[in-house]
Amino acid sequence: MKESLKERIRLWKNLYINAFENAVNAIPNVEGVLLAYNTNIDVIKYLDKDDLEKRINQIGKERVFEVIETPTERISSLEHLFGGILRSIKLGKAMEWFVESEEIRRYLREWGWDELRIGGQAGIMANLLGGVYRIPTIVHVPQNPKLQADLFVDGPIYVPIFKGKELKLVHPKEAVKEENELIHYIYEFPRGFQVFDIQAPRENRFIANADDYNARVYMRKEFREGFEKIAKRVELAIISGLQVLKEYYSDGTTYRDVLDRVESHLNSLNRYDVRSHFEFAYTANRLVREELIGILPKFTSVGLNEVELASIVEIIGDETLAKEVLEGHVFPIIDAINLLMDETGIGRIHFHTYGYYLALTKYRSEEVRDALLFASLAAAAKAMKGNIERIEHIRDALSVPTNERAIVFEEELEKEFTEFENGLIDMVDRQLAFVPTKIVTSPKSTVGIGDTISSSAFISEFAMRKS
Ligand code: AMP
Ligand code: GLC
């Protein structure tokens, strides 16, 4: 071992401080970013043991417990709802089930919430990139009711609207319409949360999704008819929300109808030299997942976690590698992202997991690592505060300890790759960047951290490489 753990942590501390300064100085260079497609209202409820047990006892504990073992993946009764919540707590896993019944939707509304936040990857990133980083941001909102528009913070956040034939950009609050409220009910629980004899191995959330628009990747008229004009106004684009697609719908349309439109958008973005990032959320349907891998060559960059990477490896690799990826060890993950780059030719892959991030790029640049470090600070700030309001919140995260367990991986990487230095490895035609992340021990909430990581890294890398 070259340095002691203490020395390594000190080296990373210096890299963190420099990365923060470099990123913050460069971010004003970004002239415009587009975020599409999923925006919704997240209502957040922090679960209370007594309340939850009372509600479950009222409807019958046995029937709810049956759902824990045989998950329905969708909600048309209270048993499904509470069974889903308990399953998520038991496994400590994030889950999202669609609410089919109007009666349950009413129940969820009446149950109430602690906080309202803008939701959906696009919505969350808009408040961060526009509201905190002050980058001019165009965001797609499938619906724009007042309740949702009011959740966008002030700042250069815009939705396109038609004034006659002309496309104008205005803040969502200036374009409110009497449209549907697309509500996702998010039930958060901390590590160790106990209900009956079930205990959460880690903090996480269960989402009851009562939103018929994002479920079909509904695109509003301005995006269907005015996309070329939108593409001309930005330098960067982040695409998300395609994870919900199904093979076919009751009206005879299929996922292909949506993907054709997405591909035409990507063609426009590429025509105007807009760099695009795809946020690869977990996609349950295997065929849709295959098709999403198929469109990756049209993107500049992709972001994913271990579950998403394993689900891709199941298709382009084999079961053994997929299993190893899920276990989180760094070498199989490096093999998997190299495989993904071989298969798709995409130029940048950003992998994030609890404790460390990797970025594999077809180019060499220290800014790739600095962007990951900046993203790790943003993630820690998001975990601490729930909502990042100012860049100072991100600076505060410099005091969060760096994950010591990832330092073991760093040592292993150093043994394997002799030219490994300051988190960067030259792999002949590719560069691999590795950073140990900041970990917040008792996060306020977990939703949206992944979005914060991927968007912060993508835009800050672009900004720093531009300057
Ligand atoms: P996702 O799995 O895409 O929702 O993103 C979650 C990511 O958030 C993980 O991969 C971690 O990197 C990060 N994360 C989760 N919990 C914490 C925490 N307590 N402190 C810092 N980062 C976290
Ligand atoms: C999913 C959920 C949404 C949440 C987002 C956070 O898109 O549907 O409610 O805000 O994930 O990443």
Side-chain angles (χ1 to χ4, degrees):
M1 207 197 314
K2 277 203 307 205
E3 294 106 2
S4 70
L5 178 64
K6 241 181 164 169
E7 279 171 282
R8 281 179 189 271
I9 295 282
R10 212 183 37 243
L11 284 174
W12 280 111
K13 189 171 182 164
N14 288 336
L15 289 172
Y16 262 110
I17 294 169
N18 285 334
F20 177 79
E21 294 302 331
N22 295 343
V24 168
N25 290 336
I27 282 173
N29 296 334
V30 184
E31 280 159 25
V33 58
L34 165 67
L35 305 172
Y37 298 91
N38 58 333
T39 297
N40 63 268
I41 299 163
D42 276 352
V43 316
I44 318 249
K45 191 171 178 70
Y46 299 100
L47 286 171
D48 172 84
K49 169 189 164 67
D50 294 337
D51 175 44
L52 192 56
E53 288 184 355
K54 194 177 96 209
R55 284 168 190 272
I56 293 172
N57 281 328
Q58 268 166 8
I59 55 166
K61 192 175 151 193
E62 282 71 39
R63 283 170 45 216
V64 172
F65 270 61
E66 274 166 30
V67 180
I68 304 181
E69 300 313 324
T70 44
T72 49
E73 309 281 336
R74 48 201 179 77
I75 302 170
S76 55
S77 72
L78 287 179
E79 285 80 5
H80 296 167
L81 169 68
F82 289 112
I85 292 178
L86 292 188
R87 183 174 167 83
S88 176
I89 296 172
K90 184 175 172 185
L91 304 177
K93 271 181 64 175
M95 288 177 195
E96 181 161 350
W97 292 6
F98 188 71
V99 189
E100 290 176 336
S101 127
E102 275 310 318
E103 201 187 321
I104 305 295
R105 290 185 181 191
R106 272 196 300 279
Y107 178 95
L108 292 167
R109 247 181 203 268
E110 275 160 27
W111 193 9
W113 51 79
D114 300 304
E115 256 172 64
L116 284 178
R117 278 193 218 155
I118 198 70
Q121 279 95 344
I124 290 172
M125 292 177 191
N127 270 0
L128 179 67
L129 305 191
V132 182
Y133 302 158
R134 315 298 287 183
I135 299 169
T137 298
I138 303 177
V139 59
H140 177 258
V141 291
Q143 299 281 278
N144 196 28
K146 185 167 184 320
L147 187 66
Q148 181 183 282
D150 285 346
L151 298 172
F152 281 107
V153 295
D154 292 334
I157 299 174
Y158 306 104
V159 292
I161 52 165
F162 280 122
K163 281 253 162 78
K165 282 223 156 116
E166 216 188 322
L167 194 86
K168 291 223 175 277
L169 295 176
V170 300
H171 191 278
K173 286 181 193 165
E174 288 157 26
V176 167
K177 287 203 161 160
E178 268 191 38
E179 293 180 331
N180 291 288
E181 292 172 351
L182 316 178
I183 302 192
H184 297 198
Y185 297 87
I186 305 196
Y187 298 99
E188 292 259 8
F189 51 87
R191 178 185 310 225
F193 181 77
Q194 172 108 31
V195 49
F196 301 115
D197 60 346
I198 294 172
Q199 198 178 33
R202 54 163 292 192
E203 63 276 2
N204 228 317
R205 75 274 178 177
F206 176 83
I207 305 184
N209 176 328
D211 160 6
D212 302 309
Y213 283 73
N214 287 298
R216 306 197 45 163
V217 194
Y218 174 85
M219 292 177 202
R220 61 187 307 136
K221 191 165 166 238
E222 293 81 356
F223 274 71
R224 280 182 273 123
E225 294 171 12
F227 195 82
E228 289 276 314
K229 290 191 181 119
I230 296 171
K232 273 193 225 166
R233 310 282 283 262
V234 295
E235 286 185 300
L236 299 175
I238 303 181
I239 303 296
S240 58
L242 305 181
Q243 66 272 13
V244 291
L245 287 174
K246 292 208 266 185
E247 262 169 64
Y248 50 84
Y249 297 93
S250 51
D251 63 1
T253 59
T254 74
Y255 65 92
R256 205 52 261 172
D257 297 298
V258 175
L259 289 188
D260 286 347
R261 206 173 281 152
V262 173
E263 284 196 66
S264 96
H265 287 174
L266 287 169
N267 293 340
S268 301
L269 292 171
N270 287 332
R271 216 168 20 251
Y272 294 109
D273 208 19
V274 175
R275 315 281 162 86
S276 57
H277 173 90
F278 181 51
E279 193 51 18
F280 202 106
Y282 181 72
T283 308
N285 187 296
R286 192 183 162 105
L287 183 67
V288 173
R289 208 185 311 146
E290 258 175 50
E291 296 282 326
L292 293 181
I293 300 169
I295 61 170
L296 281 185
K298 289 199 179 296
F299 286 94
T300 319
S301 164
V302 62
L304 30 66
N305 67 17
E306 68 283 8
V307 180
E308 292 143 14
L309 182 60
S311 77
I312 290 180
V313 170
E314 275 172 19
I315 291 170
I316 62 169
D318 58 61
E319 286 294 329
T320 319
L321 184 59
K323 212 169 135 256
E324 288 170 349
V325 164
L326 269 184
E327 284 159 7
H329 199 275
V330 72
F331 288 111
I333 287 168
I334 294 174
D335 289 345
I337 54 180
N338 271 296
L339 179 65
L340 183 58
M341 194 169 271
D342 294 340
E343 287 289 313
T344 60
I346 197 161
R348 176 180 184 275
I349 300 175
H350 176 184
F351 170 83
H352 62 85
T353 189
Y354 198 82
Y356 70 91
Y357 308 154
L358 296 170
L360 184 66
T361 50
K362 283 193 177 166
Y363 44 89
R364 243 164 249 117
S365 135
E366 292 198 341
E367 284 85 6
V368 177
R369 177 206 57 218
D370 284 357
L372 297 186
L373 292 169
F374 178 69
S376 160
L377 293 171
K382 177 86 179 163
M384 275 194 293
K385 311 265 177 197
N387 250 342
I388 304 173
E389 282 160 18
R390 291 186 299 281
I391 212 96
E392 288 70 36
H393 288 165
I394 300 182
R395 188 194 297 273
D396 292 346
L398 280 167
S399 62
V400 174
T402 302
N403 177 23
E404 292 187 1
R405 276 193 280 172
I407 301 293
V408 177
F409 287 150
E410 185 189 1
E411 285 165 3
E412 288 180 21
L413 285 169
E414 219 169 65
K415 277 192 209 130
E416 179 76 19
F417 303 98
T418 41
E419 68 285 15
F420 181 89
E421 214 184 325
N422 289 336
L424 295 175
I425 303 164
D426 191 345
M427 299 179 117
V428 191
D429 56 341
R430 293 170 187 181
Q431 172 184 278
L432 182 73
F434 165 89
V435 307
T437 63
K438 304 272 175 188
I439 292 282
V440 175
T441 9
S442 309
K444 178 159 190 275
S445 84
T446 62
V447 72
I449 305 184
D451 311 332
T452 303
I453 297 169
S454 297
S455 58
S456 299
F458 179 63
I459 60 100
S460 68
E461 181 191 312
F462 175 82
M464 288 186 277
R465 293 183 69 215
K466 194 178 172 193
S467 52

